[in-house]
Amino acid sequence: MAVPRIAVFSFTSCEGCQLQILNLEDELLALLRRVEIVNFREAMTERSDDYQIALVEGSVSTQADEDELREVRARAAVLVTIGACAVTTGVNGMRNALPAEQAWARVYPDRGFDAGVQPRVRRVADVVKVDVEVPGCPIDRGELLRTLTVLLLGQVPRLPSTPVCDECRRAGNPCLLDRGEFCFGSVTRSGCGAICPRFGESCCACRGLLPAAPLAELLEILELRGIPRAESLLRLTQFASQDPQVLALTAAPEPVGVPI
């Protein structure tokens, strides 16, 4: 059988998820015995448009992003989004709290507006069909390796359907809510090993919210622990600003979002 060919692409992002691929180190060497990487700007200068699997990092914020993404989708048999920016728009989605021209002026006050910038930042799935998602900021390299392994076996990878709290309980982590701190672990998709709460940091929902997440109940609990609802909603917009569940809660004449 022909060796599957993989191409890695980056759109609007910090490219940290691509670095996680390189951080596989010894595992990457083993992977390279099973696949051929033909496009990976972070690691190689060679480039080929002949590939079966496309790993796509980053959200879509410009017309150039959209045009290239559609070309990638047309060539790839399987398209895998990697990282929060690609899966949910991630931090980039906060830009949608302002008109594009206004956000641009804050960041680039000495430059004219680029007409190629789109009115809204979008996740990859809003533009093209996505076959597999690997969420997180950055991605968990072990999860990516497992995802590729499942794909190479001809099967369909599936994301966990449980919250981060389950992983916290199994690890014996103390609950941050009981300490009066905010944490979105009860509404966030697991799969990260609860790495942030394990080291005393709050879960910020970088892996995306679970469907039908009990957001209203969590916001009430946080208020009882002294964290205002407005602050909790503001924190949610860091990674989940474009989630319909969050948009429903923040629906107002003026959009809610972290000032850029």
Side-chain angles (χ1 to χ4, degrees):
M1 295 179 62
V3 174
R5 296 160 70 88
I6 294 179
V8 184
F9 298 93
S10 174
F11 297 101
T12 303
S13 67
C14 71
E15 301 192 351
C17 292
Q18 290 185 72
L19 292 178
Q20 283 291 75
I21 300 175
L22 297 176
N23 286 339
L24 283 169
E25 297 177 342
D26 292 344
E27 293 90 343
L28 182 59
L29 295 176
L31 177 65
L32 289 174
R33 291 196 288 268
R34 303 288 302 276
V35 303
E36 180 183 2
I37 297 179
V38 300
N39 192 337
F40 190 179
R41 185 171 56 81
E42 289 276 358
M44 56 193 289
T45 57
E46 297 82 4
R47 178 186 176 95
S48 172
D49 291 328
D50 179 14
Y51 48 84
Q52 289 77 48
I53 300 174
L55 304 183
V56 175
E57 178 188 26
S59 48
V60 181
S61 67
T62 68
Q63 189 59 50
D65 284 347
E66 179 174 347
D67 293 343
E68 183 180 358
L69 177 59
R70 292 189 184 279
E71 292 178 3
V72 170
R73 174 71 273 187
R75 294 190 179 103
V78 177
L79 189 148
V80 182
T81 47
I82 58 173
C85 293
V87 174
T88 68
T89 72
V91 173
N92 294 324
M94 290 190 292
R95 194 258 274 176
N96 293 340
L98 297 172
E101 293 85 351
Q102 187 176 344
W104 177 278
R106 288 196 180 189
V107 179
Y108 306 111
D110 57 342
R111 293 169 56 184
F113 181 68
D114 186 338
V117 173
Q118 295 186 332
R120 296 185 61 79
V121 176
R122 291 177 291 170
R123 59 190 185 128
V124 171
D126 291 331
V127 179
V128 298
K129 179 180 181 294
V130 170
D131 301 300
V132 180
E133 295 179 339
V134 181
C137 184
I139 56 171
D140 180 275
R141 58 183 184 265
E143 183 175 28
L144 175 64
L145 189 63
R146 291 190 295 273
T147 298
L148 292 175
T149 300
V150 171
L151 284 173
L152 293 176
L153 291 172
Q155 300 175 10
V156 179
R158 300 192 183 280
L159 290 171
S161 58
T162 55
V164 171
C165 282
D166 282 8
E167 295 179 311
C168 264
R169 293 191 189 98
R170 289 196 296 271
N173 299 329
C175 182
L176 294 174
L177 293 180
D178 291 339
R179 296 182 176 182
E181 300 178 31
F182 94 91
C183 187
F184 297 137
S186 61
V187 296
T188 301
R189 191 183 300 278
S190 63
C192 57
I195 186 170
C196 292
R198 182 161 25 116
F199 291 99
E201 295 292 333
S202 300
C203 173
C204 55
C206 75
R207 287 181 57 82
L209 301 182
L210 288 165
L215 280 179
E217 292 81 357
L218 176 59
L219 293 175
E220 182 177 346
I221 290 171
L222 290 172
E223 279 195 292
L224 291 174
R225 283 160 172 73
I227 301 175
R229 174 187 173 90
E231 179 181 343
S232 296
L233 286 173
L234 198 61
R235 291 179 182 271
L236 270 175
T237 62
Q238 181 180 9
F239 284 102
S241 63
Q242 305 310 299
D243 188 291
Q245 300 170 95
V246 175
L247 291 172
L249 291 172
T250 58
E254 294 296 327
V256 175
V258 177
I260 296 175

